[in-house]
Structure formats: structure tokens, C-alpha cells
Amino acid sequence: MAANAHQQGLVAYKSGSYEMAADLFSQAITADPTRAAAYHARAKAFEQLGQIQDALRDVREVVRLRPDSYEGFLLGGKLYSQAGKLEKARQLLSTALGKTASEQTAARKVIEKELASVGETIVQAQFSPLSGLPTELFIDIISLSLDAYNSYLGPQRSTTRRNPVVVATHVCRQWRKTLEVAPRLWSSLTLDGSSKPRPKARWWASRAVGLSSPESQISGSGQQWGPGLSKLVVNRTQDIGIQGLSDMLEELEGMGAFRRLEEATFSWLDGAGTTQVHQHQLQRVVTFLRAHATTLRSIKIETHCHLRIHFSLPRFGSTFSALRSLELRSTPAAVTAPDVYIPESLLPPVEDEGEWPPMAITRLVLVGPVWRLRFPDGSIGAPLLAETDCPALTDVEFGSTSPTMTWDIFSCNNLRHLRILRQIDQPTLPAPNLTPSARTLTTLSLDSCPALTTRLMQNAITLSSFLPSLTSLNLNGATIYSELLAHFASDHSPHLIELRLPRTNALPGQTIQLPLFGAVEVLDLSLCRWVTGQTLEETAKRLPKVERLNMTSCSCVSGSSVIGMVRAKRETIPIKELNLTSFELKEKELNWLKANIRNTGFRHSYPPLVDDGRGPRRQA
């Protein structure tokens, strides 16, 4: 039985099935614990799987069972070399050389070559501050630097972000050699369509799947042992071309690079392709995504066109059952742009858009896309999205978009981040209710949707729906009043750090009284005509921790009032950043502020900005 399992293990090892090989060798060892060859073979399988410590344990058994053979010492020397323990590796290799007979010329050459390589590495390592660090720990450290890079949610077209692993490979040859054979460090691939992405994709994927070179996979001579790509980001997709994108995805599929794809981002921003190219590529991308629907946890699509979708969001969620994050950004309908479509034919066919099971999605960003659905009676309209469709939501961002939403989507019990941009209120729907999510909400941004903000806040005040976990509040463009601000004061929202009130208006004839905001550090009062010298006097008293203040185009405030506030703040926590863009100051006032706000935290310019509804701009 031991011999049979051993032989099957050797076959599995040669075919590249290292996990199966290790299991078969384990069966052989169980049947015959004295079988040194099985320990030796299993150690080599563990080596291919990256389990160096397990491999070394088997090597010790080989040496114990066959102390006169060089093979255990040779393999042990190789493993210790990979682990970065070079002196131990040299010691074992020297022992292996001493156990070879003079006629074993082939074995001696192999050992002598390994000894020379280890000796050279030791000399090089003497000049490295990481010379004593084990390889596995070194790779763990580099992988930690990838966390912030891979979790980045900002604009994907940013060109200033460099992959830290690529940077590390340029430090020295030893680092490059070590990192290029660590597949998990190459699991995230970012491509730019304007800079010949296909060669980079091939090179990167070959390391993610554990091949020595891309050519070895093309020729069929390579063996895969890495997990492949878990994250794919493609920027300026239209610059790749229709056929170029299709060929690249097919090639990477052929390399086995997408076996565990979890995150995919495709952006058509900043590119130069035509709408026709965009449309063909979009359909190819959705087809590609659907092929990996069981593993994808995050999908992001950005486009400069109007994105029109011909099915419901719950149907999309039913197709992509593993999805936890969906982000769709496109040009709002109010802005002129061409249309691109995602037809329902790209999803699995259904008889009708009936009841769908709840989605497990936790993060949903819909800014711009328009959802249209053909109902059984032949009518076409926007499908309704309700809280029952996605009860697990924790992070929501809605822009000027369809589908129509019942406001109970704000009532998800675990909602933490809620951002609404330019949404039109729908007074025919029931009043929004934040009460169920009030205890967990940490970010609330109601940006440029004054009617909805008014109704939502009035309902929150009426129901006494306080937000004790809130850390960031943005009410850009809303109509505010003292009772509304008091709803977020320190006794109700003690952890509020950011308070942004740009372009807000006061109720006619009402003077706004600031309540105590004991934890607020960032205050934005730009383009607020209700802000006066008295407001700044209250700011110094009622916002004792404010360090960053934006007062762009606050036309009802004098320079002397600003200086008075800065002076008062010096007695508690001084102002570190002050933005007075488009703010008229006398020369003496300007010089005083420059001298009393440190570290270039002071910004000032004049003439004023004007806001005609399209955002603030410099007056001609």
C-alpha cells in the first residue's frame, strides 16, 4: 500500500498537483513510517506549496532515517537557503558534499553549485540591513505594505500611486529574486490602457500563478502553483481597443490567472476611444465578469457616458451571488454625453423580473446610472429598490441616479456611511426614517439635495433620532437653523469630528446660534452668507477643538473678526489651517494672519468667487 501511494504521489507531483501529491505521500508515510523516500518526496511537495517549515520537518526525518545519504542534507540546505538562513544552509550543504562518493560526480556538481550560490548570497547579504531576516517574514512585511494600496477606493485613474512591491524589486537583486517568486505579492494587477498593457499583464500574471516566466506557460513547460490574480484594475480601457481587450482577457484566462478573482475595476475615464469602442468593450467586460460571478466580491465600473442598464439591481445581485461591493459611476443625465448600454441578454435568462432573494451586498455606490426595466405588461419604467432587497448594507452612496428608491433603504440596521448627492426628493413616498440606523451611522453626507435634506432632518428631529456614533456630517446647500444644528451637538453626537456646512442658508429672519460641538476639528463654512462676526466669536467658544477652518467667500465677515477668532483660539487649540480664498483683507490683517498661522496652513486670494449653481468659480 505504501509503495502504491508513493508512486501515485510521484505522478501527481510531476503533473503539478502538489497538494494531492502531499496527501498521497502522507498516506505512504502512514502505511510505512520508516519510508525515507516518502518523507523526502513530501518535503519537495511542501516546498512547491511554499510550506517551508513543514518541508524542513520532513527533511529532519529523512536525515534521521538515512544519516549516510547526502539527499536529506542537500534538500535541507536548499530549504534553509530559501528561508534566508544562509549559514545553516551552507553547513548542511557542506555535510551533503562530504557524504558523496568521488564517483558521484553529478551529485557533487549540484551541491557545489548550491554552495557557491549560498556563499555569494552571504557576501551580498553582509551589506544588507535585512540580512538576518527569514524570507517568509520579509515577504510578510512587504505584503503588509500592499494593504493600503489594494484597499484604495479613490479615483482609479490616479498616476501618482506606485505598487510597493514593484518599488521593492528595484532595491537590489536579492530583493527582486525573492519577491518575484512570491505569487501572493502579485495578486493585484493595475493596467493603463494607454501604456501597452498586454505585456505587463502577461508578465504580472505569470508571477501571480507562480510561473518562472510568461514564456514557460505559453510553451506549456511551466507548472502553476500560485493563487493567481485576486484583483484586476483597468484604466483608460477604451485605449486598449476592442480586440486588444478581448485578446488580453482570453490570454490571462488561458494562463489560469483568474481562478480566484475577487475584485474587478474597469474605467473608461480620460481615454480617447469612440462610443462604439466603449459599447463593445462594456459588453465584453460584463461577459467576462459573469464568468467569474461565483468568486467576485467587488465590481467597479466608471464611464464618462450615460450608463443605461436594462435589468433590475436585485437580478444583478442574484447573478453575482458572492458580491459584497458594487460601484457604478457615470455622467449624470443632466449633462450632455453619449449613451452606453448593458442589455439584459448579458445576464442569465429569466421568465420575468419577479421576486428576488435579498442581496448580501454591504457597499453600494450608484452615481449616474439609469435603470430601466420592461415589465410583463409591456410597460417600461424604473425598478424599485427597497431595504428588503439589500438589508446588509453598511456603506451607501447615491448620486443623481435611478432606480427609484423607497427611503426605507436608509433604515438598514447596520448602516454606517450614507452619502447622497444631488438627489431629488420624492414627497409622494413615505418620509425617510433614520431611526433604525441612527446608532451605527458614522458618516452622513447630504450634498446638494436641499429638499430631501429638509424632510430627512425634520423627520429625525420629530422622532428624536439622534446619531451617537456620527463622526462626519456634510449638509452642503441645505437650509439650516439652530434646532437642526442642536440635533448634532455634543450631547447627541459626542464623536463628531468633521462638520461641513458649505453653501448653506439660514431661514429668513433667523439668526443661527451654534451649539456646543466639543469634538469638532474640521469646520467648513465656505460660501455661507449667514456667517457673521458673532458666528466666529461663538466658534472660538463652542468649537474648542477646531483646527481647520474653511471660510471661502464669507462676505459678511470682516478681517478683524477673523483675527479675533484666531487670537481666542490660541488660548485653547490654535488654528492650524485657515482658508480665506476670495476673502477681502486689509494688508495689515493679511500680514498678521500669515505670521500667526504656522506651517503654510494659511490660504488667501482675492477677487471673490461667484456661484451660479454650477459650483464656485473666479469672477471675470
Side-chain angles (χ1 to χ4, degrees):
M1 180 179 177
N4 186 41
H6 190 175
Q7 186 60 36
Q8 292 179 12
L10 292 175
V11 173
Y13 182 93
K14 290 179 181 178
S15 68
S17 302
Y18 301 119
E19 291 184 4
M20 181 184 297
D23 290 338
L24 290 167
F25 293 138
S26 296
Q27 293 176 24
I29 292 169
T30 301
D32 183 5
T34 64
R35 195 178 185 89
Y39 283 107
H40 188 272
R42 190 172 68 172
K44 293 177 68 176
F46 282 144
E47 178 188 13
Q48 295 297 329
L49 292 169
Q51 299 172 221
I52 303 299
Q53 294 302 322
D54 293 330
L56 285 171
R57 277 192 287 270
D58 280 352
V59 164
R60 294 188 190 102
E61 289 299 313
V62 175
V63 170
R64 182 181 67 83
L65 293 170
R66 297 175 61 183
D68 296 326
S69 172
Y70 70 88
E71 293 181 344
F73 296 95
L74 172 59
L75 181 56
K78 290 181 178 179
L79 291 171
Y80 274 114
S81 177
Q82 291 179 39
K85 298 181 179 180
L86 302 176
E87 290 296 341
K88 181 67 173 179
R90 183 159 62 179
Q91 178 185 345
L92 288 175
L93 291 170
S94 298
T95 303
L97 187 62
K99 291 183 179 292
T100 56
S102 58
E103 61 269 19
Q104 293 177 302
T105 56
R108 293 182 68 88
K109 285 182 180 179
V110 171
I111 298 171
E112 287 170 355
K113 183 177 180 181
E114 287 292 332
L115 267 171
S117 176
V118 169
E120 181 183 353
T121 304
I122 288 175
V123 172
Q124 293 176 350
Q126 290 174 352
F127 304 99
S128 170
L130 297 177
S131 57
L133 198 64
T135 301
E136 289 178 341
L137 181 57
F138 172 60
I139 292 174
D140 285 340
I141 292 172
I142 296 297
S143 68
L144 290 175
S145 68
L146 279 171
D147 291 344
Y149 181 85
N150 289 336
S151 61
Y152 175 72
L153 296 175
Q156 293 296 334
R157 58 190 180 279
S158 173
T159 59
T160 59
R161 301 174 62 250
R162 297 190 63 191
N163 188 299
V165 178
V166 176
V167 175
T169 60
H170 289 84
V171 172
C172 64
R173 280 188 229 172
Q174 183 181 354
W175 282 32
R176 184 183 185 90
K177 182 179 178 180
T178 302
L179 297 177
E180 284 189 355
V181 293
R184 64 190 175 101
L185 298 180
W186 304 95
S187 62
S188 177
L189 171 60
T190 299
L191 300 172
D192 189 322
S194 63
S195 57
K196 298 180 179 179
R198 192 169 175 183
K200 175 185 176 181
R202 186 187 305 126
W203 184 92
W204 203 283
S206 69
R207 279 143 185 81
V209 300
L211 300 171
S212 58
S213 68
E215 292 74 15
S216 62
Q217 173 62 18
I218 294 172
S219 63
S221 61
Q223 299 291 344
Q224 297 182 18
W225 57 278
L229 296 171
S230 62
K231 181 177 181 179
L232 174 65
V233 177
V234 183
N235 298 318
R236 294 187 176 95
T237 307
Q238 64 269 49
D239 288 347
I240 304 176
I242 299 173
Q243 193 61 44
L245 177 64
S246 183
D247 291 346
M248 181 181 72
L249 293 177
E250 288 180 8
E251 181 177 359
L252 296 182
E253 292 273 20
M255 296 174 68
F258 297 129
R259 288 169 294 166
R260 301 179 185 177
L261 185 64
E262 295 183 355
E263 301 177 54
T265 294
F266 288 87
S267 174
W268 282 265
L269 300 179
D270 298 336
T274 64
T275 304
Q276 183 180 12
V277 170
H278 189 346
Q279 180 62 59
H280 281 285
Q281 287 183 326
L282 181 60
Q283 295 193 28
R284 178 66 180 89
V285 163
V286 175
T287 303
F288 164 75
L289 296 176
R290 178 184 163 185
H292 302 280
T294 58
T295 62
L296 275 170
R297 297 178 60 85
S298 174
I299 294 176
K300 179 176 180 179
I301 294 176
E302 294 180 319
T303 172
H304 61 275
C305 297
H306 295 148
L307 180 59
R308 302 189 179 276
I309 304 172
H310 291 174
F311 46 81
S312 67
L313 181 59
R315 180 179 173 186
F316 187 84
S318 178
T319 302
F320 293 86
S321 56
L323 199 63
R324 296 297 180 268
S325 174
L326 176 63
E327 183 171 348
L328 302 177
R329 295 183 183 273
S330 62
T331 298
V335 180
T336 303
D339 295 337
V340 291
Y341 301 86
I342 304 180
E344 63 174 340
S345 60
L346 297 179
L347 297 187
V350 294
E351 292 184 4
D352 61 72
E353 288 268 4
E355 294 293 327
W356 296 101
M359 295 180 288
I361 193 168
T362 59
R363 179 174 180 268
L364 181 60
V365 179
L366 301 176
V367 180
V370 175
W371 304 72
R372 287 293 181 265
L373 181 65
R374 185 180 295 278
F375 294 97
D377 61 1
S379 61
I380 297 176
L384 197 66
L385 182 66
E387 185 268 342
T388 53
D389 294 318
C390 36
L393 281 176
T394 61
D395 190 340
V396 173
E397 181 177 351
F398 290 145
S400 52
T401 183
S402 290
T404 305
M405 287 154 285
T406 57
W407 296 125
D408 66 352
I409 205 166
F410 297 162
S411 304
C412 297
N413 288 325
N414 295 311
L415 196 63
R416 291 181 175 83
H417 308 284
L418 176 60
R419 295 176 292 274
I420 309 297
L421 174 64
R422 300 190 190 93
Q423 271 283 353
I424 299 174
D425 189 23
Q426 301 174 44
T428 58
L429 295 175
N433 183 10
L434 281 176
T435 301
S437 60
R439 65 180 179 82
T440 58
L441 205 62
T442 61
T443 302
L444 177 60
S445 176
L446 302 172
D447 193 337
S448 304
C449 41
L452 173 61
T453 302
T454 297
R455 197 154 74 104
L456 187 61
M457 291 298 96
Q458 285 177 347
N459 190 48
I461 292 172
T462 301
L463 297 175
S464 297
S465 300
F466 300 114
L467 285 72
S469 302
L470 196 68
T471 61
S472 177
L473 175 64
N474 178 15
L475 299 178
N476 183 14
T479 298
I480 62 174
Y481 41 94
S482 299
E483 185 182 10
L484 187 153
L485 294 180
H487 194 75
F488 301 99
S490 291
D491 50 345
H492 302 311
S493 300
H495 307 294
L496 185 63
I497 295 174
E498 293 186 12
L499 178 58
R500 302 188 183 277
L501 305 172
R503 298 175 61 238
T504 50
N505 301 296
L507 288 174
Q510 185 180 102
T511 300
I512 294 179
Q513 302 291 328
L514 292 179
L516 177 64
F517 291 110
V520 170
E521 299 175 5
V522 180
L523 178 62
D524 187 351
L525 300 174
S526 57
L527 293 156
C528 292
R529 292 188 173 88
W530 57 267
V531 175
T532 64
Q534 181 183 352
T535 307
L536 293 188
E537 189 176 330
E538 292 179 353
T539 298
K541 297 177 181 178
R542 300 182 182 275
L543 287 84
K545 292 188 177 181
V546 163
E547 297 178 339
R548 293 188 287 163
L549 177 61
N550 187 352
M551 294 181 59
T552 297
S553 289
C554 285
S555 56
C556 299
V557 180
S558 66
S560 59
S561 297
V562 175
I563 290 176
M565 183 270 298
V566 173
R567 275 202 178 107
K569 286 286 297 171
R570 286 197 301 187
E571 299 176 3
T572 54
I573 298 178
I575 296 291
K576 294 181 179 179
E577 295 182 19
L578 177 61
N579 189 343
L580 295 182
T581 302
S582 303
F583 195 103
E584 186 174 6
L585 290 171
K586 298 176 182 178
E587 185 176 355
K588 185 177 180 180
E589 295 168 339
L590 178 61
N591 292 334
W592 190 92
L593 289 169
K594 286 181 178 179
N596 286 272
I597 298 180
R598 299 175 296 173
N599 300 327
T600 65
F602 177 61
R603 295 177 58 189
H604 174 261
S605 65
Y606 197 77
L609 297 175
V610 295
D611 189 356
D612 56 5
R614 295 175 296 178
R617 58 184 176 83
R618 186 75 56 199
Q619 188 176 38

